[in-house]
Amino acid sequence: MVELIEHISAETDPSHGKVPRDRTMAERMQLGIIPINKPCGPSSHEVGAWVQRLTGAIKAGHSGTLDPQVSGVLPVALDDATKALTFMLKSDKEYVGIMRFHRAVDAARVRRLFAEHVGKIKQLPPVRSAVKRVQREREIYVLELLELDGRDALFHVSCEAGTYIRKLCHDLGRSAGTGANMVELRRTRAAGFSEVQCCTLQQLSDALWLWKERGDESELRKYVLQPEQVLKFKRIIIVDGAIEALCAGAQLALPGVAKFEKGIARNETVMLLSLKGEMVAIGAALMSEKEMKEGTKGLAVKTVRVVMRAGTYPRLWKKHEGSVHDGEEGRTSEKDG
């Protein structure tokens, strides 16, 4: 249960914005994040493009590229939700896969090898990768042997984003002195989604048909999720008068904060939500919980990415001495720079 601390008493104007659960299906699609069960064969880019064509979205993007031969969880964001993709990419990942040792090994030895590779490891990205080939550190949280059949090891791994599982298999084989390669891989969790939450492209197509042709959106609502549901950062609730200022590029000053989640630390990534619970922006906290409790002015959050469309709430502020004020209430969102 999220525990919120009230900073000031504030009410929201019902004539602007909308509680997320009350959005129409068309409005949900504009902020839609769809966890796709990617099949083996197509690239992640192709799957994203198919989802874009099926939904009629203006733009789409995916979180965490999977190789064509890898299946599993591939979240695809539509239109305004693509603004949150950067933050979804940072989430931990989980996989189930099969690696093949080039010579026979026993289960006890494999378990010892796996235990040695839990924690911080060094990886050099493969030659065919989208990033610069420099050694980097990644963390393996869990690496367990599920079954050993001859030279084939069925394994489960939970790891930091950006870990190359194919390279991990290669390094395990080198440590074993036998050599090894990845045979099969499936991603079972990404961006907070598990594989049981995912839909296939056919299921998505069927749900879209039911909505468009029969007016039945019940199936589609299961698959098209909202940023407020997906992102798990701590929350700061802001007053109506600060919203349009943030959408115009301002930073959030403390007088614009209505409530904030307990335990916020300086530099922590936070979600800025309206009093109705709508995602406004994502930012970095410039004050801790204690500082927000005790303070009355100053910048509280540096806005990193605005998600809400400008004009959703009215402009209630005016320029004054380098800051942005929202009228008579005196809520302040200071301009960057």
Side-chain angles (χ1 to χ4, degrees):
M1 186 71 178
V2 175
E3 185 175 347
L4 295 174
I5 299 168
E6 186 175 275
H7 182 247
I8 60 170
S9 178
E11 295 183 357
T12 184
D13 184 347
S15 60
H16 302 288
K18 187 176 286 187
V19 175
R21 67 173 177 270
D22 294 337
R23 288 173 182 148
T24 65
M25 198 64 239
E27 290 168 339
R28 288 177 68 89
M29 296 294 282
Q30 288 181 346
L31 277 166
I33 299 169
I34 306 175
I36 295 293
N37 183 351
K38 177 192 171 299
C40 293
S43 68
S44 296
H45 179 75
E46 287 174 319
V47 171
W50 290 339
V51 172
Q52 183 178 356
R53 286 198 295 271
L54 283 171
T55 59
I58 296 171
K59 57 184 175 180
H62 60 269
S63 174
T65 300
L66 291 174
D67 290 346
Q69 63 269 37
V70 177
S71 65
V73 181
L74 183 71
V76 178
L78 309 177
D79 293 337
D80 292 347
T82 58
K83 299 171 185 176
L85 273 176
T86 301
F87 301 91
M88 294 168 62
L89 287 167
K90 297 177 182 178
S91 67
D92 299 335
K93 309 289 192 297
E94 290 187 26
Y95 301 85
V96 171
I98 298 173
M99 62 177 293
R100 178 168 295 156
F101 291 95
H102 297 167
R103 296 198 302 274
V105 290
D106 61 59
R109 186 180 180 190
V110 174
R111 290 193 179 94
R112 286 197 300 271
L113 281 170
F114 280 12
E116 291 169 4
H117 284 75
V118 172
K120 300 287 185 180
I121 63 169
K122 301 287 187 181
Q123 278 198 328
L124 183 67
V127 175
R128 293 182 180 180
S129 65
V131 298
K132 186 177 181 181
R133 292 199 76 223
V134 293
Q135 193 175 69
R136 54 190 191 166
E137 189 177 74
R138 289 293 182 267
E139 186 168 2
I140 306 296
Y141 307 117
V142 176
L143 181 57
E144 58 181 334
L145 177 66
L146 301 178
E147 185 179 342
L148 184 66
D149 182 10
R151 294 184 291 119
D152 291 343
L154 176 66
F155 65 91
H156 163 246
V157 58
S158 174
C159 57
E160 183 180 357
T163 304
Y164 286 93
I165 307 302
R166 187 181 302 279
K167 188 68 170 59
L168 177 63
C169 292
H170 176 269
D171 292 344
L172 285 163
R174 186 174 58 183
S175 296
T178 63
N181 62 284
M182 188 182 80
V183 176
E184 190 173 332
L185 188 67
R186 177 172 178 78
R187 187 157 69 192
T188 56
R189 181 173 292 276
F193 294 107
S194 68
E195 57 184 338
V196 297
Q197 294 173 282
C198 295
C199 64
T200 64
L201 290 166
Q202 185 61 56
Q203 287 174 318
L204 177 61
S205 178
D206 291 345
L208 285 163
W209 184 87
L210 283 172
W211 171 48
K212 293 175 181 177
E213 300 298 327
R214 300 284 177 84
D216 180 358
E217 59 186 48
S218 58
E219 284 299 306
L220 195 55
R221 279 186 173 266
K222 296 178 185 178
Y223 307 139
V224 182
L225 305 179
Q226 307 290 271
E228 298 90 353
Q229 297 173 272
V230 175
L231 296 176
K232 305 301 181 184
F233 303 116
K234 288 192 175 72
R235 303 176 176 207
I236 293 180
I237 313 302
I238 63 177
V239 300
D240 286 5
I243 294 176
E244 185 62 11
L246 292 176
C247 293
Q251 310 306 316
L252 179 66
L254 191 55
V257 175
K259 302 174 185 178
F260 54 90
E261 191 168 336
K262 189 174 181 180
I264 289 175
R266 272 179 172 253
N267 301 316
E268 183 175 0
T269 299
V270 293
M271 301 189 296
L272 304 182
L273 304 180
S274 72
L275 287 161
K276 297 181 183 71
E278 307 150 287
M279 176 73 70
V280 178
I282 302 167
L286 300 176
M287 291 183 177
S288 65
E289 173 194 330
K290 183 174 184 293
E291 290 170 314
M292 283 191 277
K293 273 182 181 178
E294 298 175 354
T296 58
K297 61 183 180 178
L299 290 179
V301 178
K302 177 178 175 60
T303 308
V304 177
R305 194 70 164 131
V306 176
V307 177
M308 181 175 282
R309 290 189 179 185
T312 303
Y313 281 76
R315 173 175 169 166
L316 300 176
W317 42 264
K318 60 183 179 180
K319 292 184 178 179
H320 177 66
E321 296 180 355
S323 300
V324 176
H325 298 262
D326 66 339
E328 295 180 357
E329 292 182 357
R331 314 300 176 209
T332 306
S333 298
E334 297 185 14
K335 281 283 191 178
D336 192 18

